[in-house]
Amino acid sequence: MDLRLDDVTVAVDDNVIVRDLSLDVPHGQVVGLIGPNGSGKSTALRCIYRALRPSRGAVWIGPDDLSTLPLRRSARSVAALTQDGGTDLDFTVAETVALGRAPHLRGNQPLSDRERDLCRRAMAQLDVLHLAGRGMLTLSGGERQRVFVARALVQEPQVLVLDEPTNHLDVRHQIELLSLLRGSELTVLVVLHDLNLAAAACDRLAVLSQGRLVATGTPADVLTADLVRTVFGVAVSVVTHPLTGDPQLLYSLDSAPSSEGITT
Amino acid sequence: MTSSTAVDHVANSDASAGDTSAEVAARPSPRTGNAVAALLALLVISIVVVIGLGPVVIPPDETARYLWAALTGGRIDADEVTTYQIIWQIRTPRVLLAAIVGAGLSAVGVAIQSLVRNALADPYVLGVSSGASVGAVAVTVAGGLSALGIYAISAGAFLGAMAAAALVYLVAYSRAGVTPLRLVLTGVVMSFGFQALMAVIIYFTPDSEATATMLFWSMGSFGAATWGGLPVVAAVVLVGVVVLHWHGRTLDVLTFGDEASTSLGVDTIGVRRRLFVITSLVTGAMVAVSGAVAFVGLVVPHVVRIVVGASHHRVLVVAPLASAVFMVWVDLISRTLVAPRELPLGVITALVGVPVFLALMRRRGYLFGGR
């Protein structure tokens, strides 16, 4: 199922956070959304999992305008890894993952055998099955993050949006998660800060700067030294990965220009 | 992350983890079922035993015989009428009210703690009880509602509670709906306002009846229980608990935050509004007949979570039952320990509940809101 943002503008109190954003994520592709802090990446994602309503424009899931669907319906097509998600209560990992079935179930309708199997497989895929009986409050940040991705998979969505999914993950789990996304049939829009991982994992990249889309295309087209300097304010050398052919960026701590572009 | 064959291998070889997940991910485990059956039995036994205890002690089998006679229209001897009156007219409604209010308070406590995402929330945090006190005192002082006879004060308390809840909701409302923190802050702040209002009323009407009414409503007591008032509060609490339990999974989801809830298809604004109405109605109905019984709605939810875990599906069955049993015995202590005077219920709930809670928290390493 395609995901399409059509001229989406988000303004909060006259403060425009995202301006005229149009973006296509074709069925089955992984598109990376990159840009400096405060460039509107998370805001754009919020419109897709409906925590925000665009002030103008629309988000389309396949043939449907999202805003015309009931929330439960769209949660069956679109799953999200959000940036909040901490809980005060000590649910077990298995209970948390099972909540991914919430949009499919009424009231206290119990999980079917198929659904419990689905939960088990998602936990195995995210390498958290051994934690199934553990309390969420006892997990490390990375383990918790993987549990939330498992919960999103259990929603059986066609579209998956992830806000910095590699946060807190060790390097092995970062690579495993991104190759899982690549190998899946899902339509994926993912916000990433690690540009090298983004280049390796994504079919296409979209670059946001101050709420506007400034570049889009394959990683090789987008990730040029020029663009990284103008958007991120960092000087880099771009090399080609010897095995995969993906562009990879080499940073040097001395090369940070004295420009005002860094908004961290 | 791993290839599919490896996934199968993991799933099959790790049988113990698989069992755990199958158990906790789904339907209530047999263990919860047994606990519920045991608590139900304990509740029935407690009710019969406690009805028999007081200034006149009646053995449980005798009590059961009287209750059976009352329920089935059976015969009792003429010389037993006094005992029968004590049991059926005085003690039974009181004990049943204790059980009902106990159940309702903990169910509402569970729901409100998740609704406002705050471990310190209790059924009264949204201003309902202080609103009820103002209503009750106002009716005592100013009269009015006299058409309702002996229920006038209860009606005043209920109206006060509903008015307070509505006011808190409207003040807390913003364009983004009612956020948890706004709701709690508004409730707490306005409670102070209502209490001040009540103090003013009492200050300007040096009337001992008004003072007694205020004490009753701020301490809580089941001393005013009658058969007449029981069905309404019983029905409201029963329906309330069932509806809250039906929202179990939604409450689970809500505790993960508004963004995650939305992504899981939960309309947080609508759900919060619905739950706010339900919990206010149930609390208002309880406060109107028994005043504000402290501590139970705050602590029983935590104690039950320590024992059965966080899932609302389980907590919202076990907590009402456990709390009903607890309240029945607390009320017995309240009316017998220093008879004929009565100890305030809040004193006993705290004296019993604090050590139990602290012991459980230390032993189980209870976590609420992080390490």
Side-chain angles (χ1 to χ4, degrees), chain A residues 52-264:
Chain A
L52 264 183
R53 222 184 157 76
S55 324
R56 230 185 28 244
V59 178
W60 295 81
I61 300 287
D64 297 311
D65 178 346
L66 256 192
S67 63
T68 64
L69 297 178
L71 210 52
R72 274 169 63 87
R73 254 292 302 286
S74 61
R76 284 178 224 154
S77 311
V78 184
L81 178 75
T82 61
Q83 279 202 357
D84 67 351
T87 173
D88 288 337
L89 298 180
D90 204 16
F91 291 98
T92 66
V93 166
E95 285 168 341
T96 307
V97 171
L99 289 179
R101 298 309 293 169
H104 298 266
L105 298 170
R106 284 250 156 239
N108 276 325
Q109 191 185 348
L111 267 63
S112 66
D113 287 343
R114 187 191 79 81
E115 289 176 309
R116 264 175 285 138
D117 197 50
L118 187 70
C119 294
R120 210 160 23 241
R121 262 180 301 146
M123 284 190 279
Q125 276 184 302
L126 271 299
D127 194 20
V128 291
L129 188 57
H130 62 288
L131 303 172
R134 280 267 297 276
M136 289 298 286
L137 299 181
T138 68
L139 301 185
S140 75
E143 290 169 332
R144 202 157 51 225
Q145 190 85 335
R146 273 144 56 204
V147 172
F148 290 143
V149 176
R151 185 179 68 192
L153 292 183
V154 163
Q155 277 175 262
E156 292 188 298
Q158 277 110 31
V159 175
L160 185 58
V161 296
L162 304 103
D163 203 345
E164 297 182 35
T166 51
N167 255 1
H168 306 296
L169 295 195
D170 60 42
V171 66
R172 183 188 124 212
H173 285 112
Q174 289 188 12
I175 289 169
E176 285 187 349
L177 173 62
L178 291 175
S179 53
L180 172 80
L181 297 180
R182 254 203 104 88
S184 73
E185 303 275 288
L186 295 167
T187 305
V188 179
L189 182 61
V190 53
V191 167
L192 287 170
H193 275 302
D194 185 325
L195 301 180
N196 288 330
L197 273 181
C202 301
D203 297 307
R204 279 158 22 95
L205 295 177
V207 186
L208 278 185
S209 178
Q210 296 173 345
R212 290 172 190 274
L213 187 66
V214 293
T216 170
T218 63
D221 290 341
V222 169
L223 287 180
T224 60
D226 229 17
L227 177 123
V228 175
R229 191 177 53 249
T230 23
V231 172
F232 292 92
V234 176
V236 292
S237 318
V238 181
V239 299
T240 304
H241 193 290
L243 298 177
T244 62
D246 295 323
Q248 295 285 293
L249 309 183
L250 302 179
Y251 308 96
S252 146
L253 290 184
D254 300 328
S255 69
S258 56
S259 91
E260 75 288 59
I262 305 170
T263 53
T264 325

Side-chain angles (χ1 to χ4, degrees), chain B:
Chain B
M1 323 197 67
T2 24
S3 73
S4 72
T5 44
V7 168
D8 291 341
H9 173 71
V10 171
N12 292 334
S13 67
D14 201 344
S16 64
D19 288 345
T20 326
S21 63
E23 184 201 327
V24 285
R27 36 180 100 109
S29 66
R31 226 154 29 103
T32 317
N34 291 343
V36 169
L39 279 171
L40 260 179
L42 188 60
L43 179 59
V44 173
I45 294 168
S46 298
I47 287 175
V48 173
V49 170
V50 168
I51 287 175
L53 297 176
V56 182
V57 176
I58 301 145
D61 54 330
E62 285 285 290
T63 311
R65 189 169 63 81
Y66 284 118
L67 292 178
W68 187 250
L71 289 173
T72 59
R75 285 163 42 95
I76 49 163
D77 296 334
D79 58 343
E80 292 176 332
V81 168
T82 316
T83 320
Y84 174 79
Q85 292 284 7
I86 292 174
I87 286 192
W88 187 248
Q89 297 298 346
I90 298 174
R91 289 196 195 154
T92 304
R94 177 167 184 154
V95 172
L96 290 181
L97 183 64
I100 290 162
V101 170
L105 282 178
S106 65
V108 170
V110 168
I112 287 200
Q113 283 171 2
S114 296
L115 185 64
V116 299
R117 301 186 71 200
N118 194 316
L120 293 175
D122 75 356
Y124 311 128
V125 77
L126 302 178
V128 172
S129 64
S130 43
S133 312
V134 173
V137 170
V139 168
T140 314
V141 171
L145 299 174
S146 54
L148 294 165
I150 55 166
Y151 301 119
I153 295 181
S154 281
F158 183 75
L159 290 178
M162 292 303 101
L167 205 56
V168 166
Y169 190 89
L170 288 177
V171 171
Y173 193 86
S174 69
R175 216 164 15 135
V178 282
T179 61
L181 191 61
R182 276 179 77 100
L183 203 52
V184 177
L185 275 177
T186 313
V188 168
V189 168
M190 295 197 47
S191 289
F192 279 102
F194 296 139
Q195 280 161 18
L197 192 61
M198 185 171 65
V200 167
I201 297 176
I202 293 198
Y203 183 80
F204 284 107
T205 44
D207 166 0
S208 59
E209 200 190 339
T211 313
T213 308
M214 182 205 69
L215 272 179
F216 174 87
W217 254 275
S218 46
M219 295 290 211
S221 162
F222 300 121
T226 60
W227 279 114
L230 206 54
V232 175
V233 64
V236 172
V237 168
L238 186 70
V239 171
V241 171
V242 169
V243 173
L244 289 177
H245 184 254
W246 194 82
H247 280 86
R249 201 186 323 260
T250 305
L251 285 165
D252 285 354
V253 170
L254 268 189
T255 65
F256 284 89
D258 284 13
E259 298 226 335
S261 301
T262 311
S263 78
L264 287 164
V266 171
D267 165 23
T268 54
I269 295 175
V271 164
R272 257 200 204 101
R273 185 172 49 224
R274 207 177 330 148
L275 292 175
F276 183 85
V277 170
I278 296 166
T279 53
S280 301
L281 277 173
V282 175
T283 311
M286 291 188 295
V287 170
V289 291
S290 65
V293 182
F295 197 73
V296 180
L298 171 66
V299 166
V300 171
H302 292 297
V303 171
V304 171
R305 283 193 206 102
I306 292 172
V307 178
V308 306
S311 163
H312 287 86
H313 185 53
R314 268 173 282 137
V315 172
L316 280 171
V317 176
V318 175
L321 287 173
S323 184
V325 173
F326 180 57
M327 215 62 228
V328 164
W329 288 98
V330 164
D331 182 47
L332 175 74
I333 299 173
S334 149
R335 66 186 161 88
T336 55
L337 197 64
V338 290
R341 293 176 58 209
E342 287 195 13
L343 275 173
L345 292 167
V347 171
I348 302 151
T349 49
L351 284 181
V352 179
V354 168
V356 170
F357 177 68
L358 292 181
L360 272 172
M361 189 170 68
R362 288 185 70 87
R363 197 155 59 85
R364 299 288 191 103
Y366 181 54
L367 296 170
F368 190 120
R371 276 176 274 190

